[in-house]
Amino acid sequence: IVFLEGILAAKQPTVIVLNVGGVGYEVRIPLSSYDRLPALQAPCRVLTYDHVREDDHQLFGFLTEAERRMFILLLGVSGIGPKLAISLLSGLAAREITAAIATGDTKRLSSVSGIGRKTAERIVVDLRDKIGAGEALEAATGGRELTATELRARDAILALIALGYKRAEAEQ
């Protein structure tokens, strides 16, 4: 289940119910998505991740592809399940998590409830190579408009990375 599109039947800060053709789907969402939800009984489209275990079946929903992608990356880290991943996305925006991973800012990651120092370090080590160089650079700038000098520097760094240089070497 990649997405659900229907009528928003109920919403709470961490759970929504989406009426899709007469079937109500309970979808767990991060707090960041709650603020951007439409009014009750309005049309709504939610990107989803279908988490199935032998004793449980849960849907997790996101309003942006960046949130869903980060959620899936976090699930790949040892010791992080869907509830902890959704908690991290509730505490930090996907862009902030990407920037923290790119810069190795474990303190920022461990500021979220349930994420300790060791878990934050594991997230940085496991995901540093999985986030793209472009994503890391964009997250580091906070999404603001880059100056001409910053654009040239970014393009040069991306070109060096494409040629096989490590990110740290390219940035130097």
Side-chain angles (χ1 to χ4, degrees):
I1 300 173
V2 177
F3 70 89
L4 292 173
E5 195 166 356
I7 303 298
L8 187 60
K11 65 179 182 177
Q12 297 174 5
T14 58
V15 178
I16 63 170
V17 175
L18 206 57
N19 180 346
V20 180
V23 178
Y25 289 93
E26 181 180 85
V27 182
R28 299 188 186 298
I29 59 169
L31 289 173
S32 56
S33 291
Y34 178 76
D35 295 335
R36 297 186 315 257
L37 287 170
L40 287 175
Q41 303 306 315
C44 182
R45 182 175 186 199
V46 178
L47 302 171
T48 59
Y49 177 82
D50 190 13
H51 185 73
V52 179
R53 290 191 328 210
E54 59 192 42
D55 63 338
D56 196 19
H57 185 110
Q58 294 180 327
L59 282 172
F60 293 87
F62 312 93
L63 293 183
T64 67
E65 183 58 40
E67 287 178 326
R68 179 170 62 176
R69 183 175 185 282
M70 182 54 67
F71 179 81
I72 293 169
L73 285 173
L74 289 168
L75 290 180
V77 176
S78 175
I80 295 188
K83 289 180 183 173
L84 194 52
I86 209 86
S87 175
L88 189 56
L89 280 166
S90 291
L92 297 172
R95 177 177 282 152
E96 291 175 300
I97 297 170
T98 302
I101 291 167
T103 60
D105 189 356
T106 57
K107 188 173 184 177
R108 180 83 173 126
L109 293 171
S110 61
S111 69
V112 175
S113 178
I115 305 290
R117 183 184 53 82
K118 287 186 179 183
T119 303
E121 289 171 355
R122 196 174 321 115
I123 291 169
V124 169
V125 169
D126 288 359
L127 299 183
R128 182 174 275 156
D129 293 333
K130 292 184 181 176
I131 60 170
E135 288 178 281
L137 290 172
E138 182 183 331
T141 62
R144 66 175 169 78
E145 193 85 17
L146 298 177
T147 65
T149 303
E150 290 172 325
L151 280 171
R152 282 193 298 276
R154 183 199 65 189
D155 290 346
I157 290 170
L158 291 174
L160 289 170
I161 291 170
L163 290 172
Y165 287 89
K166 300 271 188 229
R167 186 179 313 153
E169 293 173 324
E171 288 174 353
Q172 288 177 340

